Amino acid sequence: MRTASFPEGFVWGVSTSAFQIEGATDQDGRGPSIWDTFAGGAYGDPACDHYRRYADDIRLMQDLGVAAYRFSVSWSRVLPEGHGRANGPGLDFYDRLVDELLRAGIAPYATLYHWDLPQALQDSGGWTSRDTARHFADYAGVVYDRIGDRVDTWFTFNEPQVAAFLGHASGVHAPGRRSAADAFVSAHHMLLAHGLGLEALRARGAARAGVVLNLSPVLTPAQLGDVSLDLPEEDAEAVARIDALHNRQFLEPVLRGRYPADLLPLVEKVAGLDHIHDGDLDVIGGPIDLLGVNYYTPIAVRAQPGAPADPAFPGSEGVLFCSVPTAVTAMGWPIMPSGLSLVLRRLSEEYPETDVMITENGADFVDVVAGDGVHDIERMSFLEEHLRALRASLDEGARVRGYLLWSLLDCVEWADGYRRKFGIVHVDFTTQRRLLKDSALWYRDVIRRNGLGAERPKRPTLETVAARAGVSRATVSRVVNGEASVSPEARAVVLRAVQELGYVPNAAARSLVTQRTDSVALVLSAPRNGGDALISAVVQYVTGVLEGAGKQITLMLADTAESHRRIIRHVEAGQVDGVVLVPPDGPDPLAERLARTGVPVVLLGRPAIASLVPYVDVDNTGGAKAATRHLLDRGRRRIGVICGPMDLVAVQDRLAGHLAALHEDGLRPAIALAGLDRQSGGAAARELLSGHPDLNAVFATSDELAISALEAAREAGLQVPRDLAIVGFDDVHAASCTTPPLTTVRVPAADQALALARLLLSRLDGRHTTSVVLPTRLVVRATT
Ligand code: FCB
């Protein structure tokens, strides 16, 4: 592999934001922000205690050799009420910060709004109020007047899409509102604030100003493999709609002074257009010098008639958000470095005059502090692959001026608090001790040579362990093979090195002669929809059949990112001949990653994305269709559905079956979304019954949800089945014990488990295999 060097003057840096690192939320006159309120004291202080330790943190950056540091200013530290009286000590902090950066030879890049609105402004309407945009412009001026003489690069906003839609539509971010209309109105006011803020900065002579957007390519699952693929009309429409909501809603106003024509009807439908005043778009479209791009992951969608809108994307009815068949970070975000190139290509094609800076890119992985370091090989690989993609985009002509890594420090990851680890510097939140991870050392090298090295980060080998432990390869080999002839001291040193480096001994080397280990891994993820009965059948039958065939079973739990890594290392190291995988609920990259090792893998359940890994499943679609048909045949015409989490393939299939049966009779669906548990089922059932008082039947995608519907019907004074018929799915034990006993769809657990074991055996024998789908059976009881 060749080294990849970057253009001269390319800016290497790091990014952070105020609420995520500063702490000191009640110090020196700072007012509360919406994130203090939202966090309710659970996180946010002390965070990284950066307010006090900023000089040490700057020393770290200097050590790494970064040329630029993008930080954000806390509005409520500067203006505790959001407007009016400025807080001297708050401004002093940014003054000191900037001076210290300049002393260290690091260019300060200031972001004015990274999501932490002063609570006082929220109390008077927050971003739904147009006044907030004016207050923002005044605030921009106050900050500029204090540090503008030393700060050359300004960003008005960070990711207005996230602040508007996660804050106001899905409500998972502060201020936690759930109103689609508020989200669109807030997005517009943020854009307006950007424009007014830009004017304020310009009037004062800002050298370089822009905005930071979170951009993602929007693709169908099929396009992830081949972006040039032509799409059926419905899918093309789904892709365009999500692209309008996610990307173009912000790109077009800022860079072209207009809203996309296909976006406006979506906005109008939920929020009207009165909040968009004449002249606003001229202000918003004022020229910028630099577009900040935050890139983490792509978005995969396809058309799915009848699918309800995703709460974070009002207007996305009929679009299914799909999982992506690739490795994910601990956040669950699919890793797709080429997605960065797609974003950059789009910018070059559509906005060729715009200079770009990558203002965030990075990854959350589970870190282990081992001795004196954190050997975060996955983060390094993530960064390296994204930099290679970026390098390729530069060759294509992308106008990228720099790369700011997210993030310098492990910090508060918004609603997830302290548990996410995006830093290249580890922070111990009890002692505030900082520790450079391997990725930080690697980044330092990248910066030093202004490019990537010839070698990619590698997995540890016997040699690495020997070098770390200061012993010979033979000694390492003896220890890992359990030989007794090694001194206890040497053994301890080797084992520590093995653990610290995450080394997995290579069993394949040991069984070179047989090429077989006669071991099979049974990998279980918990919890799983449909639950315990199926898992226990799998354990019982898979073990029985495979042991009967002379295999040893290794039971492995796949419940964390770390356990995924362990399992992959185990399989890669040739420790097993085959794998039976019971994947977790929701999107799961493990199957593909295991399959790539070349070891035969079989799966329980159809995977979310078409895959070559054979699976055993039950006919969920057919079962749901039969259940709905049964209701129709009993004369029920007004049927609601309580639908479990839509990221579960089984739930998608069951909903599809239900919709298909309704469609055949020309009926329209009434859908209420729930989770897996009875509480959310109860809420969904109540929503359904109050929203559609004329319903006379309910189909639930699981028995748990059907049981909660039974309870909700009872509370509402409805008699089952006279007033309301109910059908569930799964035939769990409890379904036969309800009053009245529940009509449901039986899935053959034991048959599935047996089929799974047989499928693996035929694969081990090298026979051609295809997936198996077993029929379900309707069990009619007294609720219908
Ligand atoms: C971005 C945010 C940043 C951080 C990363 C992981 O959306 O701008 O603050 O939370 O995600």
Side-chain angles (χ1 to χ4, degrees):
M1 173 151 319
R2 287 188 305 116
T3 58
S5 54
F6 280 65
E8 218 182 290
F10 189 84
V11 178
W12 298 101
V14 289
S15 281
T16 65
S17 91
F19 179 75
Q20 294 179 276
I21 63 168
E22 284 181 1
T25 52
D26 55 4
Q27 295 293 298
D28 298 337
R30 177 187 180 278
S33 80
I34 54 174
W35 272 96
D36 301 305
T37 312
F38 194 76
Y43 46 85
D45 208 345
C48 304
D49 196 26
H50 174 77
Y51 187 71
R52 271 179 282 263
R53 294 169 193 263
Y54 70 95
D56 295 342
D57 291 337
I58 292 173
R59 208 89 330 106
L60 282 176
M61 289 187 243
Q62 197 177 13
D63 231 39
L64 298 178
V66 305
Y69 171 51
R70 173 179 166 248
F71 61 96
S72 82
V73 177
S74 153
W75 187 341
S76 49
R77 206 180 278 295
V78 171
L79 291 155
E81 299 293 320
H83 60 105
R85 180 186 61 86
N87 176 36
L91 280 164
D92 291 346
F93 170 67
Y94 296 105
D95 201 82
R96 291 195 296 277
L97 178 76
V98 167
D99 279 345
E100 193 69 30
L101 285 165
L102 293 175
R103 257 198 295 280
I106 299 170
Y109 289 8
T111 303
L112 288 166
Y113 189 75
H114 202 123
W115 307 353
D116 45 356
L117 187 74
Q119 181 61 43
L121 290 182
Q122 183 60 40
D123 296 340
S124 51
W127 287 111
T128 62
S129 157
R130 203 174 158 88
D131 287 341
T132 302
R134 299 204 183 288
H135 294 318
F136 175 80
D138 294 342
Y139 152 65
V142 170
V143 178
Y144 189 94
D145 288 343
R146 185 63 184 272
I147 58 175
D149 54 339
R150 284 153 293 153
V151 175
D152 285 340
T153 304
W154 293 84
F155 294 106
T156 51
F157 275 70
N158 177 75
E159 304 191 354
Q161 186 271 337
V162 173
F165 289 86
L166 299 197
H168 301 81
S170 64
V172 299
H173 276 191
R177 306 255 325 139
R178 289 200 188 161
S179 153
D182 283 2
F184 282 118
V185 172
S186 297
H188 179 72
H189 289 156
M190 287 181 201
L191 285 166
L192 180 62
H194 153 76
L196 294 170
L198 200 68
E199 285 178 356
L201 294 172
R202 291 245 185 266
R204 289 169 167 78
R208 191 158 76 144
V211 63
V212 172
L213 301 180
N214 51 312
L215 301 179
S216 289
V218 183
L219 303 161
T220 64
Q223 281 183 316
L224 292 164
D226 175 5
V227 288
S228 62
L229 209 70
D230 276 340
L231 295 179
E233 208 176 305
E234 324 78 75
D235 285 342
E237 190 278 328
V239 164
R241 184 141 45 98
I242 301 310
D243 181 49
L245 288 166
H246 188 86
N247 297 313
R248 286 185 284 123
Q249 175 163 206
F250 300 90
L251 279 171
E252 283 286 288
V254 168
L255 296 172
R256 291 288 175 262
R258 63 180 179 222
Y259 274 117
D262 56 341
L263 176 80
L264 286 172
L266 302 177
V267 180
E268 186 168 20
K269 198 167 148 211
V270 279
L273 294 175
D274 290 348
H275 59 283
I276 306 175
H277 295 191
D278 281 351
D280 281 1
L281 282 156
D282 296 333
V283 174
I284 298 170
I288 60 169
D289 308 298
L290 191 62
L291 176 69
V293 171
N294 292 354
Y295 174 73
Y296 290 95
T297 194
I299 298 177
V301 297
R302 62 177 164 78
Q304 164 94 330
D310 182 293
F313 286 90
S316 66
E317 289 83 358
V319 177
L320 185 68
F321 286 77
C322 310
S323 54
V324 174
T326 178
V328 292
T329 65
M331 285 292 265
W333 294 350
I335 302 171
M336 187 182 172
S338 60
L340 175 59
S341 302
L342 292 177
V343 165
L344 293 175
R345 193 171 306 154
R346 171 204 215 145
L347 294 176
S348 302
E349 282 168 9
E350 294 175 27
Y351 312 100
E353 72 291 354
T354 304
D355 272 355
V356 172
M357 168 88 56
I358 304 301
T359 34
E360 286 183 26
N361 174 238
D364 165 40
F365 286 109
V366 177
D367 289 327
V368 181
V369 182
D372 57 346
V374 178
H375 308 301
D376 55 339
I377 181 150
E378 294 193 284
R379 186 172 295 101
M380 269 187 287
S381 309
F382 177 99
L383 295 168
E384 155 115 19
E385 287 169 23
H386 282 77
L387 287 180
R388 287 200 188 277
L390 174 54
R391 180 58 264 200
S393 300
L394 289 169
D395 286 338
E396 280 184 11
R399 296 172 59 136
V400 182
R401 303 303 178 218
Y403 175 89
L404 312 180
L405 191 155
W406 184 274
S407 183
L408 175 68
L409 303 170
D410 284 344
C411 60
V412 173
E413 177 51 32
W414 306 110
D416 283 350
Y418 293 107
R419 69 197 172 99
R420 301 292 174 196
K421 309 290 172 196
F422 276 91
I424 53 174
V425 176
H426 169 84
V427 176
D428 177 330
F429 290 104
T430 45
T431 62
Q432 290 294 342
R433 198 170 75 104
R434 271 73 164 146
L435 180 63
L436 299 190
K437 302 181 192 177
D438 285 357
S439 54
L441 304 175
W442 167 90
Y443 194 44
R444 176 163 69 191
D445 288 342
V446 170
I447 296 172
R448 262 192 207 145
R449 64 168 101 81
N450 191 31
L452 301 166
E455 304 237 322
R456 290 185 185 231
K458 273 206 296 259
R459 288 190 186 286
T461 61
L462 201 70
E463 286 74 18
T464 340
V465 179
R468 166 67 66 96
V471 300
S472 69
R473 290 186 54 209
T475 306
V476 176
S477 163
R478 270 187 248 126
V479 172
V480 299
N481 285 306
E483 287 179 29
S485 61
V486 185
S487 75
E489 296 77 31
R491 179 181 305 278
V493 175
V494 169
L495 289 178
R496 203 178 58 227
V498 165
Q499 189 226 335
E500 287 176 5
L501 293 168
Y503 171 71
V504 180
N506 187 346
R510 269 185 264 152
S511 50
L512 266 182
V513 190
T514 60
Q515 298 276 324
R516 279 256 168 154
T517 64
D518 281 331
S519 286
V520 165
L522 171 54
V523 180
L524 295 182
S525 330
R528 195 180 157 77
N529 185 21
D532 304 344
L534 185 55
I535 297 274
S536 59
V538 166
V539 173
Q540 186 186 342
Y541 291 104
V542 168
T543 313
V545 171
L546 293 174
E547 279 185 351
K551 307 286 173 199
Q552 255 209 329
I553 312 297
T554 310
L555 186 60
M556 303 188 88
L557 253 194
D559 56 347
T560 59
E562 178 51 33
S563 65
H564 280 210
R565 283 197 283 278
R566 204 179 52 239
I567 291 162
I568 289 162
R569 286 201 296 263
H570 189 78
V571 175
E572 265 176 358
Q575 310 268 38
V576 292
D577 296 339
V579 181
V580 175
L581 175 61
V582 180
D585 297 333
D588 175 45
L590 191 55
E592 289 299 323
R593 289 193 52 180
L594 289 173
R596 261 185 262 140
T597 64
V599 170
V601 180
V602 297
L603 271 182
L604 180 68
R606 181 172 76 80
I609 305 292
S611 150
L612 293 176
V613 183
Y615 61 83
V616 174
D617 204 349
V618 297
D619 184 8
N620 286 303
T621 312
K625 212 171 160 186
T628 310
R629 247 312 13 115
H630 166 73
L631 291 170
L632 293 166
D633 291 346
R634 307 248 151 153
R636 310 284 170 144
R637 309 290 294 170
R638 294 182 302 279
I639 309 176
V641 54
I642 301 177
C643 190
M646 285 296 292
D647 58 332
L648 300 191
V649 174
V651 173
Q652 291 167 20
D653 287 350
R654 289 173 192 185
L655 180 63
H658 171 72
L659 296 177
L662 291 184
H663 188 72
E664 280 172 5
D665 277 27
L667 297 176
R668 295 171 65 82
I671 305 175
L673 287 184
L676 291 170
D677 58 308
R678 282 201 200 165
Q679 205 184 353
S680 71
R686 285 189 292 275
E687 175 194 325
L688 205 55
L689 294 176
S690 63
H692 306 266
D694 59 338
L695 284 190
N696 56 19
V698 166
F699 167 64
T701 59
S702 74
D703 286 344
E704 287 297 316
L705 300 180
I707 291 170
S708 39
L710 260 174
E711 279 158 17
R714 195 168 306 133
E715 278 165 31
L718 300 175
Q719 256 203 37
V720 176
R722 192 195 64 196
D723 309 325
L724 192 75
I726 299 180
V727 184
F729 210 114
D730 291 328
D731 196 20
V732 298
H733 177 66
S736 55
C737 316
T738 52
T739 359
L742 187 67
T743 295
T744 181
V745 180
R746 179 172 299 164
V747 296
D751 290 350
Q752 267 187 94
L754 281 171
L756 204 54
R758 291 200 199 102
L759 189 63
L760 185 68
L761 281 180
S762 10
R763 293 215 60 194
L764 292 178
D765 281 353
R767 268 178 276 147
H768 176 71
T769 51
T770 49
S771 298
V772 179
V773 177
L774 300 167
T776 55
R777 192 161 67 77
L778 186 72
V779 182
V780 178
R781 299 204 187 96
T783 53
T784 56

